[in-house]
């Protein structure tokens, strides 16, 4: 299995939008519209920024909407076995918080 397939298979995206309890079609439509309007960067672009902050394998992604602002939360498993959580502004890829889950 090539690395693209294994990375894709291990990347689980969870859309935890604040309004609906689960990601329904309207939540995904709002996300798509926000990307189209330039309010949210595409996930592929944000992943590049995440790897600059914490190299490793992204194992989970959550997207939250709070007062109309989208925030991504990435969990990254590093080569040394450490789990790092990164909160990032979905609009400009600004890192809001970095936590080492093992601490």
């Amino acid at each position: 299995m090539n690395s693209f397939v294994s990375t894709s298979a291990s990347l689980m995206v969870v859309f935890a939008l604040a309004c609906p309890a689960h990601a329904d079609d309207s939540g995904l439509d709002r996300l798509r519209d926000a990307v189209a309007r330039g309010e949210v960067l595409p996930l592929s672009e944000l992943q590049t920024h995440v790897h600059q902050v914490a190299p490793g394998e992204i194992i989970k992604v959550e997207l939250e909407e709070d007062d109309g602002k989208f925030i991504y939360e990435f969990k990254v498993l590093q080569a040394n076995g450490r789990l790092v959580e990164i909160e990032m502004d979905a609009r400009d890829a600004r890192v809001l918080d970095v936590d080492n889950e093992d601490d």
Side-chain angles (χ1 to χ4, degrees):
M1 181 182 320
N2 68 37
S3 63
F4 174 76
V5 173
S6 64
T7 301
S8 298
S10 65
L11 178 61
M12 178 176 73
V13 179
V14 178
F15 296 105
L17 298 172
C19 294
H22 63 305
D24 57 11
D25 288 341
S26 66
L28 293 175
D29 288 342
R30 285 199 335 266
L31 175 60
R32 244 187 311 270
D33 292 344
V35 171
R37 288 189 307 267
E39 296 172 4
V40 174
L41 293 170
L43 183 59
S44 60
E45 189 172 330
L46 290 167
Q47 289 173 347
T48 301
H49 292 282
V50 168
H51 289 301
Q52 292 171 351
V53 175
E57 184 175 353
I58 298 172
I59 59 170
K60 185 174 181 182
V61 179
E62 291 182 14
L63 177 66
E64 298 176 354
E65 183 181 13
D66 187 19
D67 292 328
K69 182 178 181 178
F70 289 100
I71 297 176
Y72 274 103
E73 182 181 288
F74 294 90
K75 291 197 183 214
V76 179
L77 182 61
Q78 297 186 304
N80 62 4
R82 294 183 72 92
L83 186 63
V84 178
E85 182 178 290
I86 300 167
E87 287 186 15
M88 183 176 288
D89 188 310
R91 184 172 52 123
D92 59 12
R94 183 171 38 98
V95 175
L96 304 172
D97 191 31
V98 178
D99 288 324
N100 287 312
E101 296 282 308
D102 297 334
D103 293 341

